[in-house]
Amino acid sequence: MDSERNDPLARFLRERRARVRPEQVGLPAHGHRRVPGLRRDEVAHLARLSAGYYARLEQGRERPTRETVESLARALRLDEQAVAELYRLARPAARRRRPGRVERVAPEVLSLLDGWTVAPALILGWSGDVLARNPLAAVLHDRFTRGDNLLRMIFLDPAGRRFFLDWAATARAALHDLRRAAREGPDEHGLRELVGELAIGSPDFRRMWAAPEPRGRPRPGDRFHHPDVGELRLRTEVFPITSAPGLRLVAWPAEPGSRSAQALALLGTLVT
């Protein structure tokens, strides 16, 4: 707990709690309610926090982590502008770093990847880290400056908006995978820090991350643009790597004989 009280955050939470009607979050609205909007214990339940911890937040006596800020943003149904204000007021604390699990790609998988010349392909880790690319994918992504993680490419790299022509669909699909990693993956400080980095750097990420999760897996877009060959239509194929749970091989093949297949072949001549 910080020694300095955070009264602005406390006021913000109380005011936003009062604006949320119970029926908006699936709670019964009938009966006598002594406070407008939600009760403290209801917000704590929705944000998966203890009632005592949330009470201390509303008293300005706790400094929340980024994970807590994200949970509160969802529970209070905050819009993009309000999420940004919550981050500003909360000054979220980073959790103490712990040694992370190193994700490695087996030599046999790397050999398979390098030998795959007909389609761009890469290996993704749990949180979207790009662990390896084949030469064609390296050329396809050569305009990116944030090529170490798929989420950073989509949300933080200026090239993302120009490259992913169906940007919103691709972003929704990537967010679905990130949520799955947060639920089912190893408890990694790297994943938590990635979410915080994306939330700070991208208003679109904050808005989409705080929104209710859609049913089913969204389909990523199939249209891409490379300045040397123009527009490409490529389907996304994902292959789990059973020898390394959580890792997956992602490939973008083109329809045989199509203009996109010809463009990929032309792009392949740029491989050095």
Side-chain angles (χ1 to χ4, degrees), residues 91-158:
R91 306 190 307 273
R95 288 188 178 179
R96 182 174 298 175
R97 294 179 64 91
R98 296 178 298 173
R101 181 175 59 87
V102 177
E103 294 180 307
R104 292 188 174 89
V105 184
E108 298 81 6
V109 177
L110 287 175
S111 296
L112 173 66
L113 184 69
D114 288 339
W116 199 339
T117 60
V118 295
L122 49 77
I123 306 293
L124 291 181
W126 265 108
S127 57
D129 287 339
V130 179
L131 305 179
R133 284 184 176 87
N134 69 358
L136 190 53
V139 174
L140 184 67
H141 298 153
D142 64 359
R143 298 303 194 274
F144 285 89
T145 59
R146 305 292 297 271
D148 60 326
N149 180 280
L150 183 61
L151 278 299
R152 290 191 183 100
M153 292 169 66
I154 294 170
F155 287 99
L156 300 182
D157 197 311

Side-chain angles (χ1 to χ4, degrees), residues 142-143 225-230:
D142 64 359
R143 298 303 194 274
H225 180 269
H226 191 281
D228 291 331
V229 296

Side-chain angles (χ1 to χ4, degrees), residues 239-259:
F239 305 93
I241 299 176
T242 56
S243 60
L247 272 60
R248 54 204 189 274
L249 188 154
V250 182
W252 290 278
E255 188 68 25
S258 65
R259 183 212 163 275

Side-chain angles (χ1 to χ4, degrees), residues 187-258:
D187 185 19
E188 293 277 349
H189 69 264
L191 190 149
R192 295 192 298 270
E193 290 182 350
L194 173 65
V195 171
E197 178 188 354
L198 294 169
I200 291 171
S202 170
D204 287 311
F205 178 86
R206 290 197 299 269
R207 172 179 55 81
M208 297 171 74
W209 187 254
E213 185 173 2
R215 293 180 179 272
R217 187 188 190 282
R219 292 183 61 85
D222 65 355
R223 296 186 307 129
F224 308 85
H225 180 269
H226 191 281
D228 291 331
V229 296
E231 182 174 333
L232 297 154
R233 282 193 173 271
L234 310 172
R235 68 180 187 273
T236 301
E237 301 287 354
V238 182
F239 305 93
I241 299 176
T242 56
S243 60
L247 272 60
R248 54 204 189 274
L249 188 154
V250 182
W252 290 278
E255 188 68 25
S258 65

Side-chain angles (χ1 to χ4, degrees), residues 10-23:
R11 285 194 299 271
F12 178 89
L13 292 175
R14 292 193 297 268
E15 291 170 0
R16 300 303 303 204
R17 171 166 63 88
R19 297 186 190 183
V20 183
R21 299 189 303 275
E23 60 269 23

